[in-house]
Amino acid sequence: MILLLLGLANSTELYNQANAEYHAGDYYRAIDRYEEALQDLKNAHIYYNLGNAYFKTGQSGMAIRNYRRAYFLAPRDPDIKHNLLYARAFRVDKIHISANPITNAVSLIVHSISLYEAQLLSTALIIIISLFVAGYIVFRRRAFMYVVAPLVLVTLFCFLSWGVWATEIRNRPVVVIALEATALSGPGEDYREIIKVHDGVEANLKEARNGYCLIQLPGGIGGWVKKDAIVEIF
């Protein structure tokens, strides 16, 4: 417990130092401080400010990585969502995927709570539902079941959100951090070029071999890029 409190105090101090460096315009030192603060404390505000610092230095990929980490922890924060979209708008590669408005709306609703909130709420609601069901069995009062029905619906929503977030993590999302990377048809320089990708492009990691990673972009296209051209988001 004491070590935890010391870690939190240290992270808070580093976070304050990083903010001071950021406001002074020393973005690279701010990045170092934010990264140190994150060693002991995973916090949406730190990820968000780190993303801002990376964006100020022209590193769109690293900015997007940290905005997405912040969004993962605080999906309802309007500043995080705005800056994530803003950073994506600066990418060289414009990948246009036809989006279904209904799918987008459902996605926004499902992502309205974080993975940790979904896990916590699901657990708490199951306990509450169990208590009401037990109350119905003991007292035979229909009022108990009237309460259970909406609670079950909320629980199902939490499980759905939980599943969506978990699937995103399992898909191993990555972002390109190289100014330009060549996606090849195989894990080696002798393979043919498929496409060039640039800083900030997001994809999913499918396989890693011989210092290369197979990535898949939205829409299905992809290829093998050098391992140091990308970073995993989670």
Side-chain angles (χ1 to χ4, degrees), residues 131-151:
L131 292 174
F132 274 99
V133 170
Y136 171 75
I137 293 173
V138 173
F139 299 105
R140 294 296 177 181
R141 298 282 182 85
R142 288 188 179 181
F144 285 105
M145 299 311 294
Y146 292 149
V147 176
V148 166
L151 289 180

Side-chain angles (χ1 to χ4, degrees), residues 2-226:
I2 294 176
L3 290 176
L4 175 61
L5 291 175
L6 288 174
L8 293 177
N10 183 55
S11 293
T12 301
E13 177 62 26
L14 289 168
Y15 176 67
N16 291 333
Q17 291 176 12
N19 287 340
E21 299 287 0
Y22 181 90
H23 291 301
D26 195 343
Y27 303 119
Y28 288 100
R29 285 180 63 85
I31 287 171
D32 290 339
R33 294 291 179 270
Y34 286 131
E35 294 280 14
E36 288 180 56
L38 286 166
Q39 296 301 311
D40 295 314
L41 178 64
K42 307 302 181 187
N43 179 275
H45 295 294
I46 302 178
Y47 281 125
Y48 172 72
N49 286 359
L50 178 57
N52 289 340
Y54 272 119
F55 189 76
K56 287 289 188 179
T57 62
Q59 302 178 73
S60 296
M62 289 300 293
I64 289 171
R65 180 198 198 195
N66 285 285
Y67 287 145
R68 284 195 58 178
R69 286 178 165 186
Y71 179 71
F72 177 75
L73 296 175
R76 295 184 300 279
D77 189 305
D79 292 330
I80 294 173
K81 290 190 285 188
H82 174 271
N83 282 23
L84 176 57
L85 292 174
Y86 189 74
R88 285 170 169 167
F90 275 81
R91 296 185 292 201
V92 173
D93 300 314
K94 308 298 181 184
I95 302 173
H96 298 287
I97 304 296
S98 57
N100 186 314
I102 297 177
T103 302
N104 284 343
V106 171
S107 177
L108 285 174
I109 294 171
V110 171
H111 287 94
S112 62
I113 59 175
S114 70
L115 172 62
Y116 302 126
E117 289 172 334
Q119 292 172 331
L120 181 62
L121 285 171
S122 298
T123 303
L125 286 168
I126 288 174
I127 294 173
I128 294 171
I129 289 171
S130 299
L131 292 174
F132 274 99
V133 170
Y136 171 75
I137 293 173
V138 173
F139 299 105
R140 294 296 177 181
R141 298 282 182 85
R142 288 188 179 181
F144 285 105
M145 299 311 294
Y146 292 149
V147 176
V148 166
L151 289 180
V152 168
L153 292 177
V154 176
T155 304
L156 291 175
F157 168 77
C158 291
F159 275 119
L160 176 61
S161 180
W162 183 345
V164 169
W165 282 115
T167 299
E168 288 186 17
I169 294 173
R170 283 197 301 271
N171 286 338
R172 300 181 70 184
V174 298
V175 60
V176 175
I177 57 171
L179 290 178
E180 181 178 86
T182 303
L184 305 169
S185 60
E189 295 183 358
D190 295 334
Y191 290 89
R192 67 180 179 85
E193 177 183 323
I194 296 177
I195 190 176
K196 288 188 181 296
V197 291
H198 301 83
D199 187 25
V201 166
E202 295 163 83
N204 288 330
L205 177 60
K206 311 304 289 185
E207 186 181 348
R209 194 194 313 165
N210 301 329
Y212 283 81
C213 294
L214 176 60
I215 61 172
Q216 184 179 48
L217 279 64
I221 193 171
W224 294 84
V225 298
K226 290 184 177 179

